[in-house]
Amino acid sequence: CINQTGGLPWVRSLIVFFLVVALSSCEDHRINLPGQAIQSTGPKPAYAPTITPQMLAVIEELGRLNPVPLYTLTPQEARTKPTFKDAVNSLLSKNGIAPPQARVTKSERMIPGAGGVPIRVVIYKPNGASPTAPVIVYYHGGGWVIGNPEVYEYSTLALAQNTGAVVLSVDYRLAPENKFPTAHEDAYAAYKWVKENAATIGGNAAKVAVAGESAGEHDGAGSWTGPARSYFICFPGSQQRPQHAFV
């Protein structure tokens, strides 16, 4: 995770994160990885003179897959376009690199969101996890308008495998169909549900953390004002300083 000061804008940072997690979430970061052979084709942009060839390659690939700027589309149209995850997967496929397979079991269920409206959550449980493992409630990014648990799945898979915690990714309701503060209220409802029902997903209600990226960091911060044990963020959209997470 990084803080806001001195970092790339959050969209560029998100691209970076997907490449790093996709290529290294299941490996030792100190050794050479297959994805390091991926190279960009163009010059480094002025906004990122120190960007690595791999990171720039993802930006280039996303531009190829989705040449239409999202800001020119309706929210509904934007949600159908290729994502950073698609760009990473495309690069891996072109270079004959198999995506890393996390030792994690995935499931999903519906839980009560704000006002009792059902919302979907996706649960990532490390294989062989303790029956009382810690739980991370995770909130995806996307400006509260786009994104879902699947788009950000490399993050949640990496969190589950590398921490040993059960990760619950919240598919909170999006704007503009669901106006503020619906997403934040769904986020808190999910956290509250985990605190009350952690045992049903193989977790420990006494060890619950919240995590998020970009817009999801705001959702996590709102939940953290309650009794969350730990809180950590990637690519923050607020001025909250990153906190440590349990391990």
Side-chain angles (χ1 to χ4, degrees), residues 2-4 10 213-214 217-218 233-240 242:
I2 63 172
N3 64 27
Q4 197 168 27
W10 73 268
E213 297 177 53
S214 192
E217 176 266 325
H218 280 266
I233 61 178
C234 283
F235 321 126
S238 79
Q239 294 300 321
Q240 288 272 13

Side-chain angles (χ1 to χ4, degrees), residues 171-186:
D171 195 9
Y172 54 84
R173 287 173 284 175
L174 300 175
E177 296 89 342
N178 301 280
K179 298 186 183 299
F180 176 86
T182 303
H184 296 72
E185 291 175 341
D186 279 350

Side-chain angles (χ1 to χ4, degrees), residues 1-10 12-13 16 46-51 55 235-236 238-239 241-242:
C1 296
I2 63 172
N3 64 27
Q4 197 168 27
T5 304
L8 295 174
W10 73 268
R12 297 167 193 147
S13 296
V16 170
Y47 64 75
T50 60
I51 193 169
M55 295 173 184
F235 321 126
S238 79
Q239 294 300 321
R241 293 185 62 83

Side-chain angles (χ1 to χ4, degrees), residues 191-227:
Y191 167 75
K192 184 178 179 182
W193 183 89
V194 169
K195 289 293 291 182
E196 295 172 352
N197 297 275
T200 66
I201 59 173
N204 184 347
K207 294 183 177 180
V208 178
V210 296
E213 297 177 53
S214 192
E217 176 266 325
H218 280 266
D219 295 332
S223 300
W224 181 57
T225 59

Side-chain angles (χ1 to χ4, degrees), residues 57-59 61-63 65 82-92:
V58 176
I59 296 175
E61 186 67 8
L62 182 60
L65 294 176
T83 67
F84 309 119
K85 181 181 179 183
D86 296 319
V88 170
N89 287 340
S90 178
L91 282 175
L92 293 176

Side-chain angles (χ1 to χ4, degrees), residues 29-110:
H29 294 191
R30 296 168 296 181
I31 64 176
N32 292 329
L33 302 173
Q36 291 174 345
I38 295 174
Q39 298 293 308
S40 57
T41 58
K44 294 182 178 181
Y47 64 75
T50 60
I51 193 169
T52 68
Q54 294 77 28
M55 295 173 184
L56 183 54
V58 176
I59 296 175
E60 294 171 342
E61 186 67 8
L62 182 60
R64 187 189 69 81
L65 294 176
N66 184 27
V68 181
L70 292 186
Y71 64 79
T72 66
L73 306 175
T74 67
Q76 294 76 20
E77 290 170 335
R79 293 170 192 155
T80 68
K81 298 302 180 182
T83 67
F84 309 119
K85 181 181 179 183
D86 296 319
V88 170
N89 287 340
S90 178
L91 282 175
L92 293 176
S93 177
K94 285 182 176 181
N95 287 272
I97 300 171
Q101 298 299 309
R103 296 181 293 277
V104 173
T105 299
K106 175 183 173 181
S107 62
E108 61 179 73
R109 66 188 299 167
M110 303 298 289

